Amino acid sequence: MTAVERLLADDADRSPRADARRNLERLVAAARAALAEVGVEVTAQEIARRAGVGKGTFYRRIPSREILLEAVLAEVLAEALAVADRALTRPDPGQGFREFATAYVRLRAESCGVNEALGGAGFPGLDGVLSEIRSRLRQLVERAQAAGAMRPDIDWADVAFVLAGVTTDPHTIGLRADDRQWERNLAVVLDGLSGAPC
């Protein structure tokens, strides 16, 4: 279910006017962009400004900032879940895991808000999709291990923390990371996961 559909389902007015639906779509798109750039602390006023609507329009279409953010995060995390499901169908379990890991880390690197939500930013409505992502990650890891494509001495939960650590602060010891640093970090991690145990 998309964020717009989720918000419309919660609305007593199930078939809003075309302009009201367009405003809702603009608010969802603005919230998604603002979440990526600012994170979960983005204000309703900032979202409304980015959508090109007034704060009054925001609250006529959206019950609260938290409900909007949760709907947008649920939509983005459902996309990550779909990537995991596709990865589980790959004939090569190692390749399936690498595809998921790349998409997952890219999502964390490109969206501050998603990174915060995956880190437990406190959206109870996301518990179900987070549980499903954990389940798929476990399946992907165990499948890759059974095929000999991943070290057998690593627990699937360790992989969750390792992938979360691939996205780093933009500065360290006087160095500045570029926008693609996460890809190089991930390559090192994937190499380490697929190598023989020490």
Side-chain angles (χ1 to χ4, degrees):
M1 177 181 295
T2 69
V4 171
E5 292 166 343
R6 187 172 174 173
L7 291 164
L8 286 173
D10 292 341
D11 193 345
D13 180 12
R14 297 211 180 249
S15 52
R17 296 183 333 255
D19 62 329
R21 184 178 177 99
R22 276 192 306 275
N23 283 338
L24 180 59
E25 290 167 352
R26 288 166 51 190
L27 285 163
V28 166
R32 189 169 180 152
L35 268 168
E37 293 173 32
V38 178
V40 297
E41 296 303 318
V42 66
T43 65
Q45 185 169 340
E46 174 63 13
I47 295 168
R49 184 192 66 76
R50 287 173 181 244
V53 302
K55 201 168 174 183
T57 298
F58 179 99
Y59 284 109
R60 273 193 301 281
R61 298 300 344 137
I62 311 288
S64 73
R65 178 190 73 90
E66 292 77 17
I67 288 173
L68 173 61
L69 296 183
E70 190 171 289
V72 170
L73 287 166
E75 179 180 61
V76 174
L77 294 177
E79 293 166 10
L81 191 57
V83 170
D85 287 339
R86 282 192 303 276
L88 283 167
T89 68
R90 297 289 186 246
D92 178 345
Q95 181 61 32
F97 173 76
R98 286 187 298 277
E99 286 175 16
F100 172 74
T102 301
Y104 178 80
V105 173
R106 175 182 291 121
L107 181 61
R108 291 191 81 127
E110 294 176 351
S111 178
C112 189
V114 170
N115 196 36
E116 292 167 334
L118 289 168
F123 288 91
L126 300 179
D127 290 347
V129 71
L130 292 175
S131 175
E132 289 193 42
I133 290 171
R134 284 191 301 272
S135 173
R136 299 311 190 285
L137 177 60
R138 182 177 191 153
Q139 291 172 55
L140 285 162
V141 168
E142 290 175 352
R143 188 171 175 256
Q145 287 173 323
M150 185 181 291
R151 298 168 55 143
D153 62 327
I154 298 173
D155 188 78
W156 75 270
D158 295 332
V159 175
F161 285 102
V162 168
L163 292 179
V166 169
T167 55
T168 62
D169 290 332
H171 299 91
T172 185
I173 63 167
L175 301 172
R176 182 173 180 82
D178 63 29
D179 292 341
R180 308 309 274 186
Q181 183 64 50
W182 69 267
E183 290 180 277
R184 294 188 295 279
N185 294 356
L186 180 60
V188 172
V189 165
L190 291 176
D191 186 53
L193 289 173
S194 65
C198 299

